[in-house]
Every structure is written in C-alpha cells, then in structure tokens.
Amino acid sequence: MSTDAEGDDVVSSGGRVTVVGSYNAGFVIDVDEIPVPGETVLGSDFAEGPGGKGSNQAIGVARLGANASFVGCVGDDHYGDEAFDLWAREDVDVEAVERIDDVATGAGFVIVDENGENAIAVAPGANAELHADHVADAHEQIRNADVVLCQLEIGDEAVGRAVELASDAGVPTVLNPAPARELPATILESVDYLTPNVTEARLLAGHEPDADVPNETVGHELLELGVGCVVMTVGEDGALIITEDDLERIPAPVVDVVDTTGAGDAFNAGFAVALTAGLDVTAATRFGCRTGAHCVTAREVIPGLPTREDLEGIPRPDR
C-alpha cells in the first residue's frame, strides 16, 4: 500500500471495505426546474437503473480497486434480480445480502434540473427489513474489514449493530448520514468519521436545513455528540475536516457539472478506499473530492463512479 509523492492519491490498495446499507431501483426524470409542492412539470427525459446509497458506495469501492462486501436486503422481484446481476458484474461480494419474500425492492425517484441539481424521494421496501440480527450474521465481513461504511437509508438498529461490531473489532467506521435524521448517542459514539453534506450536518445537529450557522460551529456540535471526526462535504467548495483542535479546508477539482446525483456516494467510496490504503484523513478527503468530482461529470450515478483510470482525467485540487 502506498501513495504518490504528493500524498493525495491512492496508488494501490487491496484493502477491504464492508458496506452496510441499501439497494434501490432508481428512476430519474430530467426537468428544466425542480417543481415546488403542488406543481406538475413536464420532463425531457427518463431513465431507470440501479441505485441505493449502500450499493452505489460498494460499487464505487470495487471500481477503485479495493475488496467490497455489501450487507443489505432486496426483494424477491425482478429488481432484486437486476441487483445481483449488477453486483456480479462489478465484483462486489454479496454473501451477506438477503432476499426478502413478499416485499418490494427499495426504490428511489430522482428529479434532475438543467443545472444538475436534484431532488430525491426514496421508498425503503426491503431495506427496512435489514435488522440487527442480519447484520450480526455478517460479523465476519465486518470484523475482517479495514473500514466499515454505513449510510441512513437503513434503520438505526442495523446501523447501530454495524458500527458496534466494527468498533469492538477495532475496525474504523465511516457513517454517511444520508438521509439525515436524529441518531442515538450510542451510534454516534462508535463513528470514527462522519461525512455529512452541509444540509445533513445541520439536520443532524438539530438545526433547520438552511440555518444560518457557520459550518465550523455545526461541525463542533456534531463532535460534541460523540463522533471522532467530521468530514463535511460543501459541494463545489470541496470539504471541511473538523476535529476538536483543527479545521482544514480541502478544495474540490474544477469540472463541468452534468448531474450531482451520487456525488456523495462517490466521495464516500473514495474516502473509504483511501483509508484502507493507510492515508491520513487529509489525503483521504482529497481523494474523495476527486472521486466525487468525477461523478458529477456523468449523467446518473453508476456511470459516474470512477475507476482508477477515470481519475487520471480529474485534476488534483490546488492546495
């Protein structure tokens, strides 16, 4: 495992990331402007494909050269079949994925405007059936990982068991708190790296999503809830690394934005893979910013998740 001379890229990994999270069938409509409540707008295009933050991040990990294991649930329907076909193509270990009878596979509905901004609604479906016992059954995948990565499209019970098992085994944990919600202190106290965007950070800290509170203040409020380090993504401005003693700003590469959907998933995959390669939080965040930047240059999430070769076209951000 090594890094390049500048310390912001991963040359080789081979590490193991276990992702505990969701799979959703994705449905995307392109519009000129995202509608307000009660408004109907005509879209210009429609696409259907795989999604779910957990699955997206597991695929992102695998494409970057690490060993990806996914823990989750899908329905016993054709969307579940498509999920297993996808994971087989992407070389994601799915030994710990369970199919649930008489429950639909989760679904996500995305509206993307002409500027690449989006609005998303998710129906959990089988993801709601991922319980603590199922996560406990995946204890080998969790204990043998170099990093355990979770999101919040699954229930508190599953997230809590995953970070608890990882923490007990000395495995670093990354929690991407999306979609944001209030979490028990017992979960946050087992999180080494919390990776919210600015809206999620405010919601998790108990503010309104557009509250006029400095990002640094919000980050310290999250640290007070028990997490080890906050890595807050701030869109085109990159990311902030907030610890008890320091604040570091990591700029994002400048790219042409096509679709911001999935940028957070790409960031978290890159961040986790970099940690498995032994990079510190600064270098891991730089790498995550590059993987996130690649994602926004493509329409839809899966095409935007980069391989190592894809990243050769993404500039390193200025320091």
Side-chain angles (χ1 to χ4, degrees), residues 154-166:
I154 56 176
D156 287 359
E157 181 184 335
V159 175
R161 191 69 174 123
V163 297
E164 176 189 26
L165 287 170

Side-chain angles (χ1 to χ4, degrees), residues 163-179:
V163 297
E164 176 189 26
L165 287 170
S167 182
D168 289 347
V171 178
T173 54
V174 179
L175 175 61
N176 176 215

